[in-house]
Structures are given as C-alpha cells and as structure tokens.
Amino acid sequence: MSGAALARPALKTTAARKSRLTDPAVGVWLATAATAVLGWLVVALDGGQLYTQANIVVILSNCVALGLVAVGQTAVILTGSLDLSVAYLIGLGTLVAAETMEGGSVLTAVLAVLALSAGVGLANGLIVTQLKVNAFIATLGTAFILRGYIEDNYTGPAGKVTASFQRLGYDRIGPLPVSVFLLVAVAVVLWLVIRHTRLGHHMYATGGDEHAARLSGVRTRRTVVIAHVLCSLCVGAAALFLASRLGSGAPWAGTEARYDLDSIAAVVLGGTVLAGGRGGVAGTLGGVLLLAILDSVFNQLSVDPFFKNVVRGVVIIAAVALYARRGSRRSA
Amino acid sequence: MSTGAAHEAAADTRTATATAAPRRRITALLGPGTPVYVLLVVLLAALALSDPSFYEPDRFLAFVKRAAPLVILAAGQYLVIVSGEFDLSVGAIVTAGVVVAAELYGSYPDAHWLVMTLVLLLAGAAVGLANGLITTGLRVPSFITTLGMMLILEGAVFYWTGGSPHGSMPEDFRALGRGSAFGWLPWAVLACLAAGVLAVALMRSDFGRTLIATGDSERTAALAGVRVHRVRVLAFVLSGVAAALAAVLVGGFSGVSAQAGRGYEFEAITAVVLGGVVLGGGRGSVVAAMAGAFSLQALFTLLNLRGVSGAMESTVQGVIVIAAVGLGAADWSRPRRRRTHSTRGKPS
C-alpha cells in the first residue's frame, strides 16, 4: 500500500487518465455496450431482431424495478452496510399500495407506501447502529419479520390498483416507458445526494473506514441510518411501480424475482465495492442494464431459463474478478 | 479489525487481574458464545414445559435427527465465517446434492449407498474448492463468489433435469437420513456427532488456530508464516463437504425435492452468528456455532408446539435473532472496561 502511495504523485497525470479508464463505472458501461452489440449480432445470426421497438420497451421496463432497488442498495453498500430485507419490503409495499388504493386515493397510497418504507429503513438503520447487530443479520431479521407478517395475513394477490395508477406501469412517451423516467429521476436524485452533498461525502467516508470517519467528526451512525432510509424509499418506489404493473398487491413480487440478492449482484457488477467506500450510482445502472440485456438476448434465443442463471452467476463472478485485478495494481 | 482485537486483548489482561477467578474460568470455558448456551437452555426448558414428553429418548433423538443437517451445515459455515468469509452456496449444494443423487440413481440403480455418498461428498468438496480458489486466487469477495455459485448450481441442476427433478432414492441410501442404528440411534445423530467431534478436533489442531488467526487479521497471519490462501481454500472445501453430507441426510429424510436446500444458507449463517461468532472472522467457537443451530431448531420446534401459525414463525424467528445478536453485541463490561471501538466489519 505504501509503495503505491509513494509512486502516485510521480505518475499523477497518466495515473489520473488511467484511473478514469479503469474506473469500474466506465468499465461496466463499456461492458454493457459490448454486450448490447454482441447480443444484437448473436440474435441477428439466429434470425431474430433484438432491438425492435417492443423489445426495447421490455428491456427498459425490466430495468426499472431492479434498477430502483439496486440504486437504493448502492447507497447502503457504499456506507458499508447491506440490505437483505428489500424483497419482502417490495411484497408488502405492493400490498399496501393496492389495498390503500382500493379504498382511498392514489396519493394516500403513495404516501402510505413511502411511510412504510421509511419506517422499515429506519428500523434497519437503528438496529444496525444502536443494537450493533451486523447488517447482514439485522436486515435478514427484518426480512423474516416482514415475511411472517405477509404470510400470516395474505395468501395471494390482494387489493386493486386504480386504472389511473396503472398508467405508470404501461404508458409510454415515444419509445420510452414512463416508468423509466421514474428510475432516472430517482437515480439522479441519489447521484446528486451521493456525489454532491455533505451527506454523500460522509457516506463514502463511513463506508471507507468507519472508525477514521468518526474520529474526523462524521456522525457515522446517523449517516448509516439515513442511507438505510434512502434505500428503503427507493424500494418503496420499486414496489409502487410493480403494483402499477401487476394491477394488484402481490405478496411474492419481490422474492420470486430475488430482488435481495440480485440487487446486490447488480451493485457489485456496477463496480461498487461490497465492503463500502467506493463506487456509485452510475455503475449500478450499467450493471442493471447489462443484466436486462443479457436476459433479453436469452429470451430471444429461447434459452432454457435455468441456463440463464448459470450464465448470470458466471458473469457476476467474472466481472468482479476483473475489478479485483484492476484494483490490485493501484491499491493492494 | 486488528487494532480492535489488540485493544481488547490489552483490556483482557487488565481485567484479568481484577475479576474473580471462578467467573473468569467459566467465561473462558464457554468463550464468547455464552449467550447462546443460555438461549439454548431456556428454549429446551420451554420445550419441556410445553410438552412434558419431549425428553423421552426417542422424541429427543427425533429432535436431534431433525436438527442434524442444520448443525452440520453450521459447523461447515463456521469454518468459513471464522476465516473471514461467507458461504452462501451451501443451500444450493444441498438442493443439487439431493437432485443429483436421485438422477444418478435413475441411471445406476444398483449403486452402493456408500459409493453414492462418497461421490456426493467429493462433488461438495469440488464446489468448495472452486469457491475457495475463486475467492482467494481471483480475489472476488466470497459473498459474490458463493452467490454466483448458488446461481450456477441451481441453474445447472434444473437445466440438467429439465426443471423438475425426478427419480427416487433406494431405501438403503435413504436410511442415512431416516433410519436408525441398533434400532434406536438415528444415523443422522451419529453423523452429527461425528461432524461435531471432527470439527472440534480440527479447531484444536494447527489448522484451526491458523484459521482463526487468518480471520482475525489476514496480514498478521501471513506475516507470521500462515499460508492464508491455502487455509481459506481448505475452509471452503470443508464447508462444501459438510453441505454435501447435509444433502445426504436431507435427501434421506424428506426425499427428492427441488426445494430441498432452500433457505439453508441463511439459516446456517444465522445459527453461526447466534453462536456468538463474529461475521468478519477471528472470533467464536465451533461448539457455540453448533449450539446456535440447535437453538434455531429448538425455536422452530417450540413455535410448532405452541401452535404459532407457520406464518408468524418467521416473524418470531426474526425478532429473536435480532434480539439475541443485539444482546450479544452489547458491551456488558462498559463500567469495567474502557470502551473499545466497535468494528462493524464486513468481510470483503
């Protein structure tokens, strides 16, 4: 570590240029572009057409739910924490949205879901910081609690989403689904928070080295709690989108798609370090898009769905192995 | 993490002179897992109160038999966690093991059960080896390695079987999971005991000490001459073998199912953490980890007996896990000891 630190000033300009190129966020977008081109080639050779209007819409709307969750997850992981409760929170969120809409207005439903999410995020953050339970166990515990509540009260879809709200899931502006704008808006807000506010800098500091951050005057606990609340709010947005897409509350909307582990995979694929302190929202979006394009290519080739999982696993491991190799030259 | 441990070590020597000898001996004997033994005793007592016949030998052995796969998984998971890593692939290994065994019996109906068990254990070791080599050699965080391995294994197994596993296992193979030796002692209990004895022996050997040293501070261990990569790879291999053994028991107990191992990875990690083992490595005992697994199983049994609806079960489980770990993490010695900073470390 000290050797690299000493060598750094001398190589400053080239190193800066190099580090921009080897920045995982850039890398993942390059990889996504390569996948997009390769996928198009492969599908074309197979006699299909990957980028039809309809298919682009499918790819993009597939991005939205995972993207929202992964963007939130980025904030937590950057801060050195983790959230495994997102899948069940999505399920509960769709139920709350659909049931509130059945008896009330869309606005109250949205507010109810966001309040629920903020509450769960606050609970996660407080358990992690005040009870000092490892984030892995804390959020797993919250996940179990939510799951128990869902299983006890619901056996299947419940509630009904009003037609006006379903437009969020199905309307399009030109070729772009409306929901993509929701994802972009949330991502931009989080990007601004993470990159350009004091809170964001505190998040990087806390994730990088919590002890050092605290000694430097960062209120690390508060930062972790806020990160958890932000993450859960994003999950709430994902739940609202899924509710509008599915038309009713779906208890297993989050767990069937494995949003908990998939979102973490997407975040790490996007170059955010699992231990915290390095990474960002831009890379995560690249990771999500990469996974969605891969999915779509396999669908077009009608590859066995189980085989998709195998490829997914290989891609995720390979990508992170590549990042690790690059990182080693600079800082190991 | 290393500075935290050093602080604490210094604090320990300071308090050692101050505390009374008997108390020190008890805590030294039980280690950091003390809360889990209390929890286990409370749960077992509650079981006795809810159901007086619980301690009749055959009922109790049946309980241990049901707990055996989780206990074995927890022992394997402990080795990985104490070295500072995660193994999320164990649930998938259990599922894959059960499905592969059934498929193999479909092709070779006459295979001896011992051969089949050995094949499964070897396959588990191979998966663990892959996990270990990718984690140490390619420096991929084990969370991601084993998550990817989970996707790969589940995908591959179902791709191979076309989505629905079929075939069945012969009686002599299933006997391991549900039969009994001498007519009363379930084989699963024997396997569980053997795994426990092996794990304790392992942790007392040089390997165990280097494993804990590696988890506590990889750099210090490496400087002291520990081959940290080799030690970690071996931990992953053993975890894979343990998962394969659990697969044999689960397959025998409940038959072929695509859901055989679902959720086991989280249950095993929960059990280990309940046992006071610190995620991030370097602290905790394997006996406490296995006691954590027993506690978890006792909790499930108790909730069943109490007629808590299956659904609320996971809520109660969540609350208890958070509470137990929170109590364990609380700094009870605050008045005596200068507070050392907490390292909410997550292995990377």
Side-chain angles (χ1 to χ4, degrees):
Chain A
M1 189 178 274
S2 59
L6 283 177
R8 200 169 285 161
L11 298 168
K12 202 167 184 180
T13 46
T14 42
R17 207 173 303 143
K18 229 182 196 171
S19 84
R20 196 167 303 151
L21 270 181
T22 55
D23 179 4
V26 178
V28 74
W29 278 103
L30 288 177
T32 307
T35 315
V37 174
L38 271 179
W40 172 77
L41 263 178
V42 171
V43 173
L45 286 178
D46 196 53
Q49 181 67 39
L50 184 59
Y51 299 117
T52 56
Q53 163 93 33
N55 211 19
I56 289 179
V57 170
V58 170
I59 293 179
L60 288 177
S61 24
N62 280 350
C63 277
V64 173
L66 182 61
L68 285 169
V69 182
V71 162
Q73 191 78 259
T74 310
V76 193
I77 291 182
L78 262 188
T79 320
S81 196
L82 187 73
D83 193 347
L84 291 174
S85 65
V86 292
Y88 291 102
L89 180 55
I90 286 184
L92 192 56
T94 59
L95 288 165
V96 168
E99 293 200 323
T100 321
M101 254 174 234
E102 219 175 12
S105 71
V106 169
L107 186 65
T108 42
V110 171
L111 289 179
V113 170
L114 292 182
L116 165 80
S117 311
V120 171
L122 190 66
N124 278 336
L126 289 178
I127 293 169
V128 169
T129 54
Q130 303 302 318
L131 295 182
K132 290 192 204 139
V133 177
N134 183 292
F136 186 98
I137 295 297
T139 55
L140 189 61
T142 336
F144 276 131
I145 294 173
L146 292 175
R147 172 178 148 196
Y149 180 77
I150 295 173
E151 283 182 350
D152 200 36
N153 292 292
Y154 303 95
T155 50
K160 178 129 185 57
V161 174
T162 53
S164 63
F165 192 67
Q166 289 201 26
R167 300 181 57 181
L168 171 66
Y170 288 97
D171 270 16
R172 292 209 307 261
I173 302 176
L176 294 174
V178 176
S179 47
V180 167
F181 292 100
L182 173 69
L183 172 61
V184 170
V186 170
V188 166
V189 168
L190 259 190
W191 178 78
L192 283 175
V193 168
I194 288 175
R195 279 288 151 130
H196 293 286
T197 65
R198 183 186 297 181
L199 172 67
H201 297 315
H202 286 181
M203 283 162 68
Y204 277 101
T206 308
D209 186 335
E210 189 183 359
H211 190 52
R214 185 146 77 234
L215 290 183
S216 321
V218 175
R219 298 185 190 207
T220 52
R221 290 184 177 187
R222 185 192 287 181
T223 312
V224 172
V225 172
I226 294 177
H228 270 286
V229 172
L230 284 177
C231 171
S232 292
L233 284 175
C234 292
V235 176
L240 285 170
F241 164 70
L242 281 173
S244 79
R245 190 88 190 157
L246 300 170
S248 64
W252 313 122
T255 43
E256 268 163 13
R258 283 218 178 142
Y259 282 121
D260 38 9
L261 294 177
D262 265 16
S263 66
I264 295 175
V267 169
V268 175
L269 199 57
T272 299
V273 179
L274 195 54
R278 251 185 291 168
V281 171
T284 301
L285 287 180
V288 171
L289 189 59
L290 176 68
L291 288 177
I293 292 179
L294 265 184
D295 249 18
S296 176
V297 170
F298 287 135
N299 278 342
Q300 291 286 307
L301 299 176
S302 52
V303 171
D304 187 296
F306 299 115
F307 189 69
K308 274 197 293 198
N309 268 345
V310 178
V311 177
R312 247 179 193 217
V314 172
V315 165
I316 291 166
I317 292 180
V320 179
L322 274 178
Y323 299 150
R325 277 178 66 83
R326 281 179 174 163
S328 69
R329 251 176 270 146
R330 276 180 296 156
S331 67
Chain B
M1 181 137 289
S2 60
T3 52
H7 267 284
E8 204 142 273
D12 273 342
T13 49
R14 236 181 294 132
T15 49
T17 49
T19 15
R23 182 170 169 187
R24 193 176 65 210
R25 213 171 298 145
I26 291 170
T27 40
L29 197 67
L30 293 178
T34 317
V36 76
Y37 299 115
V38 177
L39 179 68
L40 184 56
V41 168
V42 168
L43 284 170
L44 288 178
L47 273 171
L49 286 179
S50 312
D51 179 9
S53 65
F54 180 74
Y55 286 101
E56 280 168 16
D58 53 330
R59 291 280 313 277
F60 189 71
L61 282 176
F63 163 73
V64 178
K65 182 168 89 177
R66 268 200 313 281
L70 186 57
V71 174
I72 292 171
L73 282 176
Q77 187 74 247
Y78 164 83
L79 297 176
V80 175
I81 287 185
V82 90
S83 78
E85 307 286 347
F86 275 111
D87 192 347
L88 292 178
S89 66
V90 292
I93 296 181
V94 170
T95 308
V98 170
V99 173
V100 165
E103 285 285 324
L104 283 181
Y105 268 121
S107 318
Y108 311 95
D110 299 325
H112 193 266
W113 65 269
L114 200 57
V115 176
M116 188 60 78
T117 307
L118 281 179
V119 166
L120 284 188
L121 294 186
L122 275 179
V127 173
L129 185 67
N131 279 336
L133 289 180
I134 294 172
T135 302
T136 57
L138 301 180
R139 278 184 294 148
V140 177
S142 55
F143 191 96
I144 297 301
T145 312
T146 54
L147 173 63
M149 187 58 83
M150 174 170 124
L151 291 175
I152 293 172
L153 278 179
E154 286 185 353
V157 159
F158 290 119
Y159 178 56
W160 184 36
T161 60
S164 59
H166 32 72
S168 63
M169 300 179 227
E171 219 30 62
D172 59 345
F173 181 75
R174 292 197 65 173
L176 276 174
R178 56 178 182 185
S180 304
F182 324 120
W184 60 273
L185 186 60
W187 287 109
V189 175
L190 277 179
C192 178
L193 270 178
V197 169
L198 254 175
V200 170
L202 205 59
M203 289 318 289
R204 292 186 169 219
S205 69
D206 288 352
F207 167 72
R209 292 175 201 288
T210 48
L211 193 65
I212 292 186
T214 305
D216 194 14
S217 167
E218 180 175 351
R219 194 166 155 73
T220 317
L223 289 177
V226 175
R227 304 186 182 185
V228 288
H229 283 197
R230 187 188 288 182
V231 168
R232 278 204 173 125
V233 170
L234 200 51
F236 274 108
V237 169
L238 289 171
S239 173
V241 171
L245 182 58
V248 172
L249 299 184
V250 169
F253 190 69
S254 44
V256 187
S257 141
Q259 311 278 323
R262 182 149 253 191
Y264 260 134
E265 61 277 351
F266 287 129
E267 274 181 27
I269 293 175
T270 308
V272 171
V273 173
L274 266 185
V277 180
V278 180
L279 289 183
R283 251 174 287 171
S285 85
V286 67
V287 181
M290 290 189 287
F294 272 117
S295 308
L296 213 52
Q297 190 66 44
L299 178 66
F300 295 149
T301 314
L302 182 66
L303 291 176
N304 259 337
L305 275 179
R306 285 277 170 181
V308 176
S309 80
M312 281 310 277
E313 198 172 281
S314 58
T315 297
V316 177
Q317 188 191 345
V319 171
I320 290 198
V321 166
I322 291 179
V325 177
L327 285 177
D331 201 349
W332 296 107
S333 49
R334 211 169 290 176
R336 281 190 286 123
R337 193 186 288 176
R338 201 168 63 86
R339 265 185 79 185
T340 54
H341 80 271
S342 77
T343 40
R344 199 172 38 80
K346 198 171 50 162
S348 49

